[in-house]
Amino acid sequence: MDFKLILVIISILFLVSACSVTDRFFNNSAGSSSGKGIVLTIKEAPKQGSTLTENDNFAVVVDVASYVKSDRTINGRLCIRDSSSGAYGGIPSSQCINVDLEPPDEAEGKLFALPERIRFPSQGFYYYKDLRQLPVDNQILLDFYYELLTESGAVACIAMPNVENVPSNCKGSQALSVHGQDAPVEVTSIAVTPNTISINEVNLKIDITLRKTEEGTLYPPGKALSGGSSPGERIKFAAFANRQALNCQSSSSGFVEFRQDQKEKIIKCTSSLKLQQEFENLPVEVVLEYGFKKIHEGPQFKMKKEEFIA
């Protein structure tokens, strides 16, 4: 056989092998999240729908970025697992790396975040062993635990009772506009209703609506990074009007609990206000503090023992 022809055949076999490896393992857009809150993007992993054998080594590379509107660094922990539960080797349990995420920059109403790139394992590769002839389903899963403190609010206008020459938005009940926080729990609305006590004093009824905007598990502050289970989906809640703490009936000892599958919670608060002028602006602030576990589903693939042809 001609020597040049042999070289051509060897080159073709090498390229086919390289393409096969690339097809099984590299997927730059696998499991990308939306650009809101904490975003996990898998940059390298077994490809969706591929089949791995005992001869296949792999790593998982993940970009983690924060789009949460906050001026605080978010402390988190990223953990990786697969659905085979260690029966065939692969990804060991308790593979976690601590991650500190800087707040995003904002320009022209848009958020820009610089992601942290994480590789699992930090050195070497994963591989599966003792596989069967029949294919076994598997999936890579990411758990991101983090602590969060958000501050949000709005401004109401409150007028003295029986005063006529005041702006129209200072009279009666008011539904205040609250900007989104891009967080797992957001304050979606604040409703303020004044009731007369005296000529210059009003009682305020303030309804604050909280909404769980993302699937995941809520933790009380300080519990998400400890690695334990969540003792009920309770978050720390505090509300203020004109820097004075509100009396809120729907919170217990400063905590609000979301029941299983509950997405929305209305917190009913009251306060009184003595006015020094015919009408005044009243800032209303809500502070939420909690931990959160975000689960990100990665690529699904199969594992099977490699077949050898005699």
Side-chain angles (χ1 to χ4, degrees):
M1 182 180 290
D2 185 82
F3 181 70
K4 290 184 178 180
L5 181 59
I6 293 175
L7 288 178
V8 170
I9 293 173
I10 292 173
S11 299
I12 292 173
L13 290 174
F14 176 79
L15 288 173
V16 169
S17 175
C19 290
S20 176
V21 170
T22 301
D23 184 62
R24 287 200 302 271
F25 296 108
F26 296 96
N27 190 349
N28 289 336
S29 61
S32 179
S33 302
S34 61
K36 179 180 179 181
I38 300 297
V39 174
L40 306 177
T41 305
I42 297 178
K43 305 298 291 184
E44 182 181 326
K47 188 176 180 181
Q48 174 79 16
S50 63
T51 298
L52 272 61
T53 71
E54 293 172 336
N55 295 323
D56 293 325
N57 299 331
F58 69 95
V60 178
V61 178
V62 184
D63 280 356
V64 188
S66 171
Y67 290 87
V68 177
K69 293 181 180 179
S70 173
D71 58 357
R72 297 177 174 84
T73 298
I74 291 180
N75 305 119
R77 189 174 79 253
L78 180 64
C79 302
I80 190 171
R81 55 191 169 96
D82 61 19
S83 57
S84 68
S85 302
Y88 303 100
I91 301 174
S93 59
S94 302
Q95 290 272 295
C96 299
I97 296 178
N98 292 331
V99 183
D100 294 330
L101 299 176
E102 295 299 322
D105 294 324
E106 186 170 1
E108 298 180 354
K110 295 182 179 180
L111 296 177
F112 298 89
L114 183 64
E116 290 286 333
R117 178 155 292 186
I118 308 297
R119 184 186 189 274
F120 291 103
S122 57
Q123 294 181 340
F125 296 90
Y126 299 123
Y127 64 92
Y128 293 104
K129 60 184 180 179
D130 301 326
L131 299 178
R132 304 171 183 176
Q133 293 290 349
L134 294 176
V136 177
D137 292 330
N138 202 358
Q139 183 178 19
I140 291 175
L141 300 163
L142 299 171
D143 300 320
F144 188 67
Y145 302 82
Y146 62 102
E147 299 284 340
L148 193 60
L149 186 150
T150 62
E151 299 175 349
S152 55
V155 178
C157 182
I158 308 299
M160 287 184 178
N162 302 320
V163 176
E164 296 183 357
N165 296 323
V166 296
S168 58
N169 64 304
C170 299
K171 298 179 180 179
S173 299
Q174 300 171 44
L176 307 183
S177 176
V178 185
H179 295 294
Q181 299 90 58
D182 290 337
V185 179
E186 294 188 359
V187 179
T188 57
S189 68
I190 299 175
V192 179
T193 303
N195 294 299
T196 301
I197 296 178
S198 65
I199 191 172
N200 67 336
E201 187 175 6
V202 295
N203 182 66
L204 299 174
K205 175 186 174 184
I206 303 176
D207 291 347
I208 300 169
T209 301
L210 305 180
R211 184 166 182 80
K212 189 177 178 184
T213 62
E214 185 176 352
E215 292 296 330
T217 304
L218 294 168
Y219 292 79
K223 298 295 185 181
L225 299 181
S226 65
S229 59
S230 173
E233 295 203 49
R234 301 169 66 240
I235 67 175
K236 192 172 183 180
F237 170 90
F240 306 87
N242 213 21
R243 298 183 180 179
Q244 300 297 315
L246 300 180
N247 178 26
C248 299
Q249 299 176 354
S250 304
S251 63
S252 176
S253 301
F255 284 85
V256 171
E257 183 168 357
F258 282 79
R259 299 188 304 273
Q260 186 175 9
D261 298 326
Q262 184 179 19
K263 299 296 184 184
E264 193 170 86
K265 192 94 174 179
I266 298 177
I267 314 300
K268 296 184 176 297
C269 305
T270 58
S271 180
S272 59
L273 176 68
K274 284 189 175 181
L275 297 167
Q276 306 300 319
Q277 304 176 52
E278 290 186 343
F279 62 93
E280 298 179 11
N281 288 330
L282 178 74
V284 180
E285 182 184 17
V286 181
V287 180
L288 304 177
E289 188 176 1
Y290 54 93
F292 191 70
K293 175 186 176 182
K294 176 188 181 77
I295 300 176
H296 183 81
E297 296 186 358
Q300 297 176 329
F301 56 94
K302 296 183 182 296
M303 310 178 298
K304 65 174 296 187
K305 193 176 188 66
E306 188 167 20
E307 297 179 1
F308 294 95
I309 300 176

